[in-house]
Amino acid sequence: MDLEKLIQERSAVLTYPAKKVFLEPGMILDGVYYVVSGRTCHYMMSLDGTEKILYTLAAGWFYGETPCSLSEPTGLYSKTEVKTTLYKLPIQEYEYLMDTNKLFRETILYSYSRKMLILRHEIENLTFNSCKDRLKRLFCSVADTSRLIEGAWYGMNVSYTQYELSTIVGGARVTVSKLISELCAEGFIRMLNHKLQINAGKYRKYVERMEAARL
């Protein structure tokens, strides 16, 4: 890929193991990060230790462009979810490419825009939807619709612990545990070999309802 080669030539390569916190609030960033492989999680933490995940980023995403552009410290924790390789593009190179390379500039603007949409949907989700509905939306967003299991179920592209689910949807862990049991009883999801699966028919109906609500 032309863009990735362009970034690689000007970057330092960083490889982190899973669950490595590589940025914390207050740190001054001297470069922009590009996810080559793996997955990163970016979250806030309250004084009592409660976490709220804003987004997770997979290969092809940038991170750090906002604090670098504003010359401000990051306000988030950034942690790898799995073994992850990053390119760290120095701020001078970042600014140079923004000024001179159309492909790079458009990709950065796309990254900005996608994150803005994620945050807008998150505000909408927290404001208007119940915790149960937020769980449904999350499960639908990570459903692997490329193949059916036993003719009626979809697996999930991402596995979450109950703690991770609680931080994403903004509910207590005990509440999330109870709601998962309810969704299993309703046939919306099931647990098989310690992995969640979503009912294909109920997935389609739920997605259709969400799309109709946007019109």
Side-chain angles (χ1 to χ4, degrees):
M1 178 181 179
D2 291 339
L3 177 65
E4 189 166 303
K5 183 179 179 181
L6 180 73
I7 299 168
Q8 181 185 21
E9 291 172 347
R10 292 166 168 81
S11 300
V13 181
L14 305 173
T15 300
Y16 295 119
K19 307 301 180 184
K20 169 69 177 179
V21 176
F22 60 95
L23 292 174
E24 296 184 3
M27 292 179 66
I28 301 294
L29 274 60
D30 56 0
V32 172
Y33 294 84
Y34 176 82
V35 184
V36 183
S37 63
R39 190 170 63 250
T40 61
C41 169
H42 306 270
Y43 59 96
M44 301 179 294
M45 184 182 296
S46 67
L47 293 176
D48 65 2
T50 301
E51 295 179 7
K52 179 67 184 81
I53 295 175
L54 295 187
Y55 38 72
T56 58
L57 305 177
W61 281 88
F62 288 92
Y63 180 71
E65 64 274 41
T66 299
C68 281
S69 296
L70 297 175
S71 299
E72 293 185 359
T74 180
L76 301 177
Y77 290 91
S78 297
K79 178 174 68 175
T80 60
E81 292 193 336
V82 296
K83 183 180 178 181
T84 299
T85 297
L86 306 169
Y87 291 154
K88 184 179 179 182
L89 184 67
I91 185 65
Q92 297 86 355
E93 297 286 353
Y94 168 73
E95 292 173 345
Y96 172 77
L97 290 176
M98 285 292 287
D99 288 339
T100 62
N101 190 281
K102 184 175 184 289
L103 174 62
F104 182 82
R105 183 167 57 251
E106 289 180 344
T107 307
I108 288 291
L109 291 175
Y110 178 82
S111 178
Y112 268 124
S113 300
R114 291 297 299 172
K115 288 178 189 173
M116 185 177 293
L117 280 178
I118 290 171
L119 294 179
R120 192 192 78 185
H121 290 322
E122 179 66 8
I123 292 171
E124 175 188 357
N125 201 19
L126 292 172
T127 303
F128 300 115
N129 299 311
S130 68
C131 189
K132 187 174 186 178
D133 207 44
R134 297 199 293 271
L135 275 176
K136 286 184 175 182
R137 284 172 176 254
L138 176 62
F139 292 149
C140 286
S141 72
V142 297
D144 179 6
T145 59
S146 63
R147 70 183 185 94
L148 276 173
I149 300 170
E150 297 177 7
W153 299 89
Y154 292 137
M156 297 192 185
N157 289 314
V158 182
S159 298
Y160 297 105
T161 65
Q162 287 191 3
Y163 174 74
E164 289 171 333
L165 288 173
S166 69
T167 63
I168 294 171
V169 303
R173 193 185 309 186
V174 63
T175 301
V176 168
S177 178
K178 178 182 176 182
L179 292 175
I180 288 175
S181 296
E182 288 182 11
L183 291 173
C184 285
E186 294 168 5
F188 190 84
I189 59 174
R190 72 174 181 175
M191 184 76 74
L192 187 67
N193 298 325
H194 304 291
K195 293 184 177 180
L196 287 174
Q197 297 175 350
I198 185 168
N199 182 271
K202 293 183 182 293
Y203 163 87
R204 287 191 291 271
K205 288 181 180 179
Y206 190 79
V207 170
E208 288 171 1
R209 182 165 69 84
M210 286 195 299
E211 291 176 347
R214 294 195 183 105
L215 299 178

